[in-house]
Each structure stands twice: as structure tokens, then as C-alpha cells.
Amino acid sequence: MRLHHIKAHAFHAPRLGEVQEFTDVLISLDETGTIVAVTEGADHPDALVLPAGQILIPGFVDLHVHAPQYPQLGSALDLPLEDWLQHYTFPLEARYADLDFARTVYDTLIADMLALGTTSALHFATIHVPATNLLAEICLSRGQRAVIGKVAMDDPDACPDFYRDASATDAIDGTRAVIDHIHAIAGKDGLVAPAITPRFIPSCTDECLHGLGKLAAETGVRVQSHISESDWQHGFVRARTGRSDAESFAHYGLLREYSVFAHGTHLSASDMELLRDHGAGVAHCAASNAYFAGAVFPLRRALDIGLNTGLGTDISGGPNPSIFEAARMTVAASRIRARGVDADIAADARGTAEPAIDMATAFHLATRGGAQALGLPVGAFEVGMKFDAMAIDTLRAEGTIRPFGATGLRLLEKVLHTASRPNIVVVWTDGVQRVGS
Amino acid sequence: MRLHHIKAHAFHAPRLGEVQEFTDVLISLDETGTIVAVTEGADHPDALVLPAGQILIPGFVDLHVHAPQYPQLGSALDLPLEDWLQHYTFPLEARYADLDFARTVYDTLIADMLALGTTSALHFATIHVPATNLLAEICLSRGQRAVIGKVAMDDPDACPDFYRDASATDAIDGTRAVIDHIHAIAGKDGLVAPAITPRFIPSCTDECLHGLGKLAAETGVRVQSHISESDWQHGFVRARTGRSDAESFAHYGLLREYSVFAHGTHLSASDMELLRDHGAGVAHCAASNAYFAGAVFPLRRALDIGLNTGLGTDISGGPNPSIFEAARMTVAASRIRARGVDADIAADARGTAEPAIDMATAFHLATRGGAQALGLPVGAFEVGMKFDAMAIDTLRAEGTIRPFGATGLRLLEKVLHTASRPNIVVVWTDGVQRVGS
């Protein structure tokens, strides 16, 4: 069902620090789902009118998803990163040589993400070209806006025999094959787009990384990877290359506009500037950082220097698939970072004392912030953007929001803190309804 | 509907560090809902048999709820504690002079808590005797096991004119009136019990605190309050009394067996021992501590010395009413406390380096741990305990658990990390079904 006009009580956060409420807005779309008018107080005879108690917000952007890891979501999170990868994650990802298995998982995941209001996602797939192509097809048919990469990982010293690219050439050729397939099925500016996806520097040879850098320059597609995620990873890269992760990605030609790097807990100030100056961004994964990163990402510092940042669930390094949960954990982790953890230390020396991130800022990061990092024309209700949005029923008994008459920003905060899946009643991408009856 | 026999795939955590799985257990109850037999592999012709894909776990115990604050849940959390109390919380609580308002809120809250699997709760009400009595009646009729207190707060230097007990005598007499009412409607060991509830030391005069201590000795009922929650509160009490919060409560005769004190982020090692030695416990409120406490509660330290501890949502200092969410935040906050927040500091000096709390431990705290702190005979499937439990449908499409064949502890972790309200299909207390069709 294609939408042409909708009237709603709506909220969006088009710019950092700015939440805007429309109490009664008419949003009009063209035949491609692009917003052509946003007019407070206007009417249209054919408009879909959201009932009282429902609010409209932009769909969420999840900047870091390992789609194949969905089967192990919420389990086995007590191990160090390296053990978790070798003993749980790589054996699971290896199973995506089986396309039937891949279809079952990916179809469930994309349906669930859309039902949770995640209209855009940046996906790591696996090393397998056919299963990665299949993920792209499923996103296209279910209507999730997605940027998807075949994972490249070819270093025999770091990757197990049962799960790695046979060579740098294989990793690069496979990446190119997925790029070509996605361009063939979705067009060059379609709902689904490819990403060059070195897993992280420790899993790739220099030959592979240089080759992927050349491919990025040649094709102009986005890059995604992990960056400075843990003490182990951060130290490993510096020992091997003599450079930080950020400097290394720049060296390989992989630090590019609208490229997104996950975690970044250990990025230095100059690393952050390097990312910003190349137009790259960070996927902030507050939940998974609590499990694997060993520190809280300096989000305030990133925002203060103008580094593009959005939120990631990091399925399954993070235990929950909802960007609502990611936003909640972002706010809590930011407060803990600012105030510190140990009351045995004096209050003024306990934390970093940066101003903490509030829920309104997390809302921006979950919507327009993430979209901006990927260069996607979504995340706010503005003319020229695609209409990706969700209707939230704040009154549904089976849901978990209890407004008790709250209005304005207080109502939005309640929604962001307490909404759950039953509250999300309709989801659209490109102006087409993807979830809802 | 009273249950007599149930067959199920069940998990419980009867002791710290011990999760037990029953793959096919028969649990039998007497006419009062007390468990009389727990037999793996047994059958009974009249047993309710949970369908495949459903698991049975003990109901959750929420050790810290401000029932009257439910209308502001998830909003206005960016203020310091003292401002938040004066400008939002006290004006809201003052409205419970109106019994119609109280009925609407309390009825919604108790229904929602039960639907989220919270079968037992320790409630702060307001200063009003009639509304506190009403809360007890609603818990009794809806079937939530509850310990409930009229809030005592009489210090004119700390409490606003529009919301405080008129005198210490009023605070004490009102507390006694609620105790008498609850004993009259629920009996002495009924589903609902009273608690002596000084809000916190800064809001009460010495006369009030001494009087409440005498009342506790006379009646033997439980005590609840806040303890060492923030730098401000912790410092205020020390300046006024020359003692820590814990020492002060002991001095007033308020540190007693099965009494529960919320937060405790700033408790010293000797404070913790004092609580333990008096048989008192702590309500760990991980989410609200991120907002107001300015530190993470040293949970590992508390457990290591054998201090009774359970989880609290701290509605509405915490933004979410679900103990599932409280358990998730407990694990994340514990990991952040252990590992630290700031990657600019060397890894070995960054956090407290205590072993972090895992989800299995959080499960114990959410169930038997909380029950033990209150001295309630619930929280595990053992002979002699009351049957308070929930059935979780791990396969429900509208829910958010995706087992993908996980079994044992991995399945339980998935449930605890990803369950949401639609997954909770039946809830019992005292063997009587309270939620479900």
C-alpha cells in the first residue's frame, strides 16, 4: 500500500540538539515515496489520518548489524571478544554456506527489525557471496532500506580454516560480485546498496585491505568495518601496522565519505578528526560495548567535533535487536561515563564529567544522525527525503507506554523509554507500508 | 483459577550461583498455593501441561517501586535528584489526596506489573493514609504479593508545605493506621503486608525517625527507605547526624531483619556489614542509579559478603517498569563498573576490576534474591514455597524471543535478554492465575 498523504501528531529531530513537534501535520509524498510537502495544520481529502493517541516518528537507522548472528542473540556474552568470535561466532557464520539456513534466519531477522521500527540498516553478512546476495533480496522484498556487505576476512593467522576467504583475491572478487548483484537488483540509488566490508583489520591481510581500498575508489561504494573496539584489537593493529585503526583505514584507502565504523571506544581525538575529515562516521553500540569494548564510547566528544554518529544494536554482540533499547542504553552508558562508577573515588574525579547525552539527542542519533552517517535521504520529515516512518500507538493496552496525559517532549521521552513492539502499529519505507494490518 | 498441578519446562535460581533447569517437571500445590511436590519426570492426570516452546520461571520481585510516580515514568530524568523531587515528584505525589486519581493510577500500575511478570513488589505509596490503604486493596484484589508503606516525611526544612506530614506524630500515627488496615484486610501473613517507610533521612525529623523505630520494634513489621543514594544525600546525612546512613538507621532502630533499603551506591564496606548483620538488604536499581546516584552500586562486593540483594525498577527514578529491563541494566552496569568507562586510562586502572555479574546471577537476584531480602516464601520452585510464577511463550510471533533451537542456559539467557510483554502469557501468585486468557 503506497501512501500519498498522512495527517499525524509527529516528532522528528532533524538536527543535533533540535527536536520538533508537529501537533497536526500533513505530509505529502510523490509516487516514489519522496516527501514533497510538510504543512502544519493543512488537510487533504485522501489523507490517512492517524487516530488520536498515535504519533508518527521517523524510522530508526541501525548502523551495525551482523545479520547472520541473529540465532545467537542474547546468549554467550560472557567471553572475551576473541574467544567469542572463535568459539561461537565464526562456527555460526560458517553455516551460511547453506542457503536454506540463510533464508530462514534472514527472513525472520528483517521481518523482526521492521516490526521494531528499524527501517534502515547497515548489515554485515558472511563471507559467502550467494547468502549475501540473498540477504539483499530479502531486504528488497520486505522493504528494509539496507546497506549490505559480504564480509572479507582472509588472514590465515587470524581466521579459522573453516571460515575464511581462501585468498585476498577471493575476498576482493567476492566483494565485487556482491556489489554487481546488488546494483543489478536494486539499481544504483535503490532501497538496497552494497558496502565493502573488511571484518576488521586483524582478520585481513594487507593485500586484501589494499585491494578493497582500490575497489572502493573504483566503485565509489561505502565501506564498513570495526574500529578501535577493545584494548586487544586496538593494540593488535598498532603492533602490526605501527598505526592506529583510523590511520590504517586511511592508509588502505578505506576511510571514505558515508563509510561507517563500529564501536570506536578507543579512538583518540586525532583519530576522530581523521574520520570526520574523510566524511566517515561511527556506529555507537552502547550495549555491545558493555560486553566487549572495555570502555564507553566518548560520544559527547564525537558530537562536539562534528563526527557523524548513529546508533547500532550490534546484533549479536549486543543482546537486543531494538533501537529503542539501543537508545536507552546510550543514555544510561553516557550518564555512567560522565559521573563514573566507583563511589570510593571523589565525585569530581570519578567520571569524565562531560555533559551526558539525553534522550532527545539519542532520538536524533537513532534517526537522522544514523541516516546522515550513511548519506541516506531519510530520518526526518523534510521535503526531498524519502518517507521512512513508524506510527506508534501510545494507548495500546498490550503495549507498554502509559502517557497519563503527557504532551510534547515529555510524551516523546515516555515513548522512547517505554515503547515495545506492540506499540509499533505501522511501519513504512519509501512511503510503502511494510508492517501493520 | 486455582492451579493444583503443572507440568513444564522450568528454570529457577534458588541460590546465588546456581541455575537449575527442569526439562519436564511436575509441580503440585495445596489449596493455599503452597508447593507440596516438585518431581522431575512425574505425571498427574489433572496437570496443566505447558505447551512446547513455553517455559516456566518464578515470578519477579521488584524491591523498589514508587507506585504514585507511575504517571511520570520515563520522563524528566535529566535533573539532579533534589530538583527532580521538588519540581516533579512531590507535586505529583501530592495529588494522591484524590482517591479517584489514586485508583486510576494504582489499578493501571498493578495490572501492568503483573503483566510484566512482577509477582511481588515493595511499594512506597504517598503520605496519604486513604490512598495507601487503597493501594493495598488493589494489590490484594489483583493478586500482587506486596509490601506497602505510607511514606513518612515531616521535616519542614526539607519537605514542601504542600506535601509533608504535619508533624512527627502525624507521620507515626498514619503509619500505624496503614499497618492496622493492611493487617485487617490481609491477615498477618497474607498476600499484602505493611512496611514502615521513612522516605529518607533528609526528609524526616529525628523525632519522626525515633518514633518509627519504636513502632518497628513494637509491631515487628518491615522497614524500607533509601540509603546512601547520591553524593548529595550521603553527605547531607553525615553532616546532620555525624553518622553514615546505615549507622543512622541502626541508631533510630530502623535497621531490622527483612528491611530493604534502596540504592546504596555510596555504602562503605562497614555500612554493608552493618546491614548484613541486622538482616537487612539492598534494592539494586541499576537504571535509576544511572540517572541519580552518580555511581554504580558495588553489587559484587555486596554479594561477596552475603548481603541480601535484589533488583528494583525504582519506578519512576528508573524509566522502565520491567524487571527484565532491570536485569539487563544490572548486567550492563556491572560490566561497565568492572571495566571502566574511559579508554584514555590504562585498562588495568580503568574500572574496579571486580568480576562482573552475569545474567544467571541477575536472574537469581530478580527472583529468589529479592524474595530472600524481604523474607518472602517465593522465588524458587521448592517445597514449602508459594507458587508465584510466569509462563513464557518463547515462540510467540508478536513477542521478541527467537530461540533458534537454543537449549538450557543459552535459552534462558535469550529469554532474559530479549523477552517482552507479549511473551509473558500466564502469571500466577499463590497458585492462582492473575494474568492470561
Side-chain angles (χ1 to χ4, degrees):
Chain A
M1 283 178 290
R2 175 165 291 289
L3 193 68
H4 291 98
H5 306 276
I6 182 169
K7 281 210 30 123
H9 178 195
F11 293 89
H12 70 166
R15 278 156 292 277
L16 189 64
E18 180 188 340
V19 172
Q20 193 176 0
E21 179 180 19
F22 302 97
T23 54
D24 181 34
V25 72
L26 177 72
I27 301 175
S28 300
L29 320 179
D30 70 12
E31 284 302 319
T32 71
T34 302
I35 297 171
V36 294
V38 179
T39 318
E40 184 76 307
D43 284 302
H44 191 284
D46 301 333
L48 172 70
V49 180
L50 289 193
Q54 292 196 12
I55 65 166
L56 185 75
I57 63 173
F60 288 148
V61 180
D62 188 336
L63 282 187
H64 192 44
V65 180
H66 289 277
Q69 296 175 19
Y70 196 43
Q72 70 180 12
L73 187 78
S75 65
L77 289 166
D78 293 321
L79 301 170
L81 178 61
E82 183 60 5
D83 293 345
W84 179 79
L85 285 172
Q86 298 291 344
H87 298 301
Y88 286 86
T89 304
F90 290 161
L92 172 58
E93 291 193 12
R95 294 181 62 190
Y96 289 76
D98 174 355
L99 278 178
D100 288 336
F101 180 71
R103 183 173 291 108
T104 302
V105 175
Y106 288 160
D107 204 51
T108 304
L109 171 67
I110 302 307
D112 281 342
M113 291 181 75
L114 283 165
L116 291 166
T118 302
T119 50
S120 296
L122 177 57
H123 291 286
F124 278 61
T126 60
I127 65 170
H128 313 96
V129 171
T132 306
N133 289 341
L134 178 62
L135 174 58
E137 290 155 17
I138 289 170
C139 290
L140 200 56
S141 72
R142 286 205 170 264
Q144 186 182 57
R145 191 176 304 280
V147 181
I148 296 168
K150 174 205 126 51
V151 172
M153 45 190 287
D154 72 318
D155 190 334
D157 293 341
C159 308
D161 290 341
F162 63 82
Y163 187 59
R164 73 161 179 267
D165 291 301
S167 67
T169 307
D170 269 28
I172 297 158
D173 290 351
T175 300
R176 184 189 293 276
V178 168
I179 293 170
D180 291 345
H181 182 77
I182 291 178
H183 283 159
I185 63 170
K188 284 258 175 177
D189 287 304
L191 197 68
V192 176
I196 292 167
T197 307
R199 184 171 207 110
F200 60 167
I201 292 171
S203 64
C204 296
T205 62
D206 271 19
E207 186 189 349
C208 175
L209 293 163
H210 279 298
L212 293 175
K214 277 185 203 145
L215 188 63
E218 176 198 327
T219 60
V221 310
R222 298 173 181 89
V223 176
Q224 66 176 332
S225 192
H226 299 81
I227 197 163
S228 297
E229 175 174 5
S230 67
D231 294 282
W232 168 79
Q233 193 239 299
H234 187 67
F236 182 98
V237 171
R238 189 166 283 284
R240 172 173 138 195
T241 68
R243 303 182 192 91
S244 72
D245 268 34
E247 292 160 354
S248 299
F249 282 120
H251 170 77
Y252 298 120
L254 291 165
L255 211 54
R256 299 170 56 85
E257 189 172 30
Y258 304 137
S259 294
V260 171
F261 296 85
H263 307 293
T265 44
H266 290 62
L267 288 171
S268 69
S270 64
D271 286 339
M272 282 192 179
E273 285 164 8
L274 197 61
L275 261 69
R276 179 200 60 193
D277 294 345
H278 283 76
V282 171
H284 173 42
C285 307
S288 109
N289 289 349
Y291 285 95
F292 295 115
V296 176
F297 175 64
L299 175 55
R300 173 60 62 190
R301 211 182 279 172
L303 299 180
D304 281 350
I305 68 154
L307 174 57
N308 286 334
T309 310
L311 304 186
T313 57
D314 193 12
I315 293 168
S316 68
N320 198 289
S322 164
I323 287 287
F324 282 105
E325 293 267 357
R328 293 164 200 167
M329 201 57 81
T330 295
V331 173
S334 170
R335 293 187 71 93
I336 295 174
R337 178 180 161 92
R339 308 283 295 276
V341 297
D342 185 357
D344 290 351
I345 299 170
D348 60 0
R350 196 178 298 153
T352 62
E354 297 148 331
I357 301 299
D358 62 11
M359 193 45 107
T361 303
F363 177 54
H364 168 76
L365 299 176
T367 53
R368 184 63 197 141
Q372 208 157 21
L374 282 172
L376 295 175
V378 296
F381 300 124
E382 296 193 333
V383 171
M385 288 200 183
K386 297 285 185 177
F387 186 81
D388 288 9
M390 67 182 111
I392 294 181
D393 187 343
T394 66
L395 302 177
R396 203 170 166 212
E398 302 77 20
T400 43
I401 307 166
R402 299 292 177 257
F404 284 105
T407 58
L409 186 58
R410 296 297 178 222
L411 175 62
L412 178 65
E413 286 176 339
K414 274 179 166 288
V415 166
L416 295 168
H417 274 298
T418 64
S420 58
R421 181 168 165 152
N423 293 112
I424 303 164
V425 289
V426 189
V427 178
W428 298 265
T429 60
D430 270 353
V432 178
Q433 183 174 326
R434 311 295 184 169
V435 172
S437 51
Chain B
M1 284 178 289
R2 174 165 292 290
L3 193 67
H4 291 98
H5 305 276
I6 182 169
K7 277 199 49 108
H9 178 195
F11 294 89
H12 70 167
R15 279 157 290 277
L16 189 64
E18 180 188 340
V19 172
Q20 193 176 359
E21 179 180 18
F22 302 98
T23 54
D24 181 34
V25 72
L26 178 72
I27 302 175
S28 299
L29 320 180
D30 70 12
E31 285 301 320
T32 70
T34 301
I35 297 171
V36 293
V38 179
T39 318
E40 183 76 310
D43 284 302
H44 191 285
D46 301 333
L48 172 70
V49 181
L50 288 193
Q54 291 195 13
I55 65 165
L56 185 76
I57 63 173
F60 288 147
V61 180
D62 189 337
L63 283 186
H64 192 44
V65 181
H66 289 277
Q69 296 175 18
Y70 196 42
Q72 70 181 10
L73 187 77
S75 65
L77 291 166
D78 293 322
L79 300 171
L81 178 60
E82 182 60 5
D83 292 345
W84 179 79
L85 286 173
Q86 299 291 344
H87 298 302
Y88 286 86
T89 304
F90 291 161
L92 172 58
E93 291 193 12
R95 294 181 61 189
Y96 288 75
D98 174 355
L99 278 177
D100 288 335
F101 180 70
R103 183 173 290 109
T104 302
V105 175
Y106 288 160
D107 204 53
T108 305
L109 171 68
I110 302 307
D112 281 341
M113 291 182 76
L114 283 165
L116 292 166
T118 302
T119 50
S120 296
L122 178 56
H123 292 286
F124 278 62
T126 59
I127 63 170
H128 313 96
V129 172
T132 306
N133 289 342
L134 178 64
L135 175 58
E137 289 155 19
I138 289 171
C139 290
L140 199 58
S141 72
R142 287 205 169 264
Q144 187 181 59
R145 191 177 303 281
V147 181
I148 297 168
K150 175 205 124 57
V151 172
M153 45 191 287
D154 73 319
D155 191 335
D157 293 340
C159 306
D161 291 340
F162 62 83
Y163 186 59
R164 73 161 177 266
D165 291 302
S167 67
T169 308
D170 269 27
I172 297 158
D173 290 351
T175 300
R176 184 190 294 275
V178 168
I179 293 170
D180 290 346
H181 182 78
I182 291 178
H183 283 159
I185 62 170
K188 283 258 176 179
D189 287 306
L191 197 68
V192 176
I196 291 168
T197 308
R199 183 170 206 111
F200 59 167
I201 292 172
S203 64
C204 297
T205 61
D206 271 18
E207 185 189 350
C208 175
L209 292 163
H210 279 298
L212 293 175
K214 278 186 202 143
L215 188 63
E218 176 198 328
T219 60
V221 310
R222 297 174 182 87
V223 176
Q224 66 176 333
S225 191
H226 299 82
I227 197 165
S228 295
E229 175 175 3
S230 66
D231 293 282
W232 168 79
Q233 193 238 298
H234 186 67
F236 181 98
V237 172
R238 189 167 281 285
R240 171 173 137 193
T241 69
R243 301 181 193 90
S244 72
D245 268 34
E247 291 160 356
S248 299
F249 283 120
H251 170 76
Y252 300 120
L254 291 164
L255 211 55
R256 300 171 55 84
E257 191 173 27
Y258 304 138
S259 293
V260 171
F261 296 86
H263 306 292
T265 43
H266 290 61
L267 288 172
S268 69
S270 64
D271 286 339
M272 282 193 181
E273 285 163 9
L274 197 62
L275 261 70
R276 179 200 58 194
D277 294 346
H278 283 76
V282 171
H284 174 42
C285 307
S288 109
N289 288 348
Y291 285 96
F292 295 115
V296 176
F297 175 64
L299 175 55
R300 173 59 63 189
R301 213 182 277 171
L303 299 180
D304 282 350
I305 68 154
L307 174 58
N308 286 334
T309 310
L311 305 186
T313 58
D314 193 12
I315 292 168
S316 68
N320 198 289
S322 164
I323 287 287
F324 282 105
E325 293 267 358
R328 294 165 199 165
M329 202 57 83
T330 294
V331 174
S334 170
R335 293 187 70 94
I336 295 174
R337 177 178 161 92
R339 308 283 295 277
V341 298
D342 184 358
D344 289 351
I345 299 170
D348 59 1
R350 195 178 299 153
T352 63
E354 298 149 330
I357 301 299
D358 63 11
M359 192 46 106
T361 303
F363 178 52
H364 168 77
L365 299 176
T367 53
R368 185 62 197 142
Q372 208 156 21
L374 282 172
L376 295 175
V378 296
F381 300 124
E382 296 193 333
V383 171
M385 289 200 182
K386 297 285 185 178
F387 186 81
D388 288 9
M390 67 183 110
I392 294 181
D393 187 344
T394 66
L395 302 178
R396 201 168 170 213
E398 302 76 21
T400 42
I401 306 167
R402 298 292 176 259
F404 284 106
T407 58
L409 187 58
R410 297 297 178 222
L411 175 62
L412 179 64
E413 287 175 338
K414 274 180 166 290
V415 167
L416 295 167
H417 274 298
T418 64
S420 58
R421 181 167 165 150
N423 293 112
I424 303 164
V425 289
V426 189
V427 178
W428 298 266
T429 59
D430 270 353
V432 178
Q433 182 174 326
R434 311 295 185 169
V435 172
S437 52

